[in-house]
Amino acid sequence: MVFGRKKSKADRPESADSELESAGGSAAGEPGKGDLRQSKGPWDIDEVEDRDGYVDLGALLIAPTEGLQLRLEVEEATQRVVAVTMDLGGSSLQLQAFAAPRSEGLWEEIREQISQSVASQGGESEEIEGAFGIELVAKLPAEAADGSRGYRAARFMGVDGPRWFLRGVLGGAAALEREAAAPLEDLFRQVVVVRGGNPMPPRELLQLRLPKDAAAQPPAPQGGPGVQRPERGPEITQIG
């Protein structure tokens, strides 16, 4: 596993995250109305025995696997980490976790907002039934290196947990091919969200950070964990 960081110019990578609702809810760990995860995962921190064996990124705990690279997306103005991207087998999965109200989920509303944003950019989107319930496949117009017109595809997955919402964005072959997506879907299932007990407005990003020992970590053996420095990330994550 290899770490890197990438910069983002916007305060929030998705316009769907720009409107805040009033804070609400109860103690962390209480499942809300929108919690449909059943036994599939992703998990809340109260549902796992301990943090051993995970890569600790603050609000998210990631299960390591051979060949996985992690890139942290950093807001340019504040240097705040706003997303983590998992690269594996030529495809990617961007993760963001948000505070959510106890009484209801956010995914239905956010999915609608992403669809509207895609349409405003001349693209198209389609709701499909996926491994995590209703998902959204979006295609945006794009120009290839040879000047021909094509599109960029992204597949949005959303999971409502106890007072949090986790969004995953699949890119590369995994956006359209189930076989290519399977390894990243497995990693998505294993993600653990650390909401914390502090009151937060729904849609507020949960705080991510580099692992505490990342700067001092030595070069990794082949197939093992390691650390890289910042780089700019793919603009497909700006959809929504």
Side-chain angles (χ1 to χ4, degrees):
M1 183 186 305
V2 181
F3 286 96
R5 297 172 69 190
K6 55 185 180 179
K7 295 183 179 180
S8 172
K9 294 183 178 180
D11 281 355
R12 297 181 185 276
E14 309 295 342
S15 60
D17 307 323
S18 61
E19 298 176 6
L20 296 180
E21 304 172 30
S22 60
S26 59
E30 280 190 38
K33 179 181 176 182
D35 189 353
L36 304 176
R37 297 168 300 126
Q38 300 179 350
S39 60
K40 295 181 179 180
W43 310 106
D44 184 79
I45 186 60
D46 289 343
E47 298 168 340
V48 298
E49 293 184 1
D50 55 52
R51 304 180 184 221
D52 291 347
Y54 291 97
V55 179
D56 189 344
L57 302 178
L60 296 177
L61 305 182
I62 306 297
T65 190
E66 185 174 354
L68 177 64
Q69 298 184 16
L70 297 182
R71 293 180 285 116
L72 300 184
E73 183 172 336
V74 179
E75 181 181 274
E76 199 164 354
T78 65
Q79 294 300 294
R80 178 179 64 156
V81 179
V82 293
V84 58
T85 297
M86 310 167 74
D87 293 319
L88 182 67
S91 294
S92 65
L93 171 61
Q94 186 207 57
L95 299 174
Q96 288 181 298
F98 304 87
R102 179 183 62 83
S103 58
E104 60 183 5
L106 296 177
W107 179 219
E108 183 176 357
E109 180 182 357
I110 289 177
R111 198 168 62 242
E112 181 179 351
Q113 291 172 332
I114 294 172
S115 296
Q116 293 173 353
S117 177
V118 171
S120 72
Q121 299 175 61
E124 57 185 39
S125 60
E126 177 187 5
E127 289 190 353
I128 63 171
E129 186 68 29
F132 302 94
I134 298 177
E135 301 172 355
L136 188 71
V137 175
K139 296 179 180 179
L140 280 177
E143 184 173 314
D146 61 2
S148 61
R149 299 297 296 175
Y151 63 84
R152 294 176 295 157
R155 186 172 127 216
F156 291 80
M157 305 180 295
V159 174
D160 290 301
R163 294 185 68 212
W164 52 258
F165 168 72
L166 179 65
R167 191 191 59 202
V169 186
L170 288 164
L176 299 175
E177 300 174 14
R178 290 292 181 180
E179 185 175 350
L184 287 168
E185 288 178 348
D186 287 342
L187 288 173
F188 190 61
R189 288 186 182 92
Q190 299 176 64
V191 171
V192 179
V193 180
V194 184
R195 162 65 172 81
N198 295 331
M200 296 178 68
R203 297 174 179 262
E204 182 73 14
L205 276 167
L206 302 185
Q207 186 174 355
L208 294 167
R209 58 168 172 76
L210 276 171
K212 294 179 180 179
D213 59 348
Q217 188 171 332
Q222 186 172 1
V227 181
Q228 290 181 338
R229 301 315 300 166
E231 61 182 40
R232 183 178 176 83
E235 295 183 0
I236 190 69
T237 59
Q238 298 297 324
I239 293 178

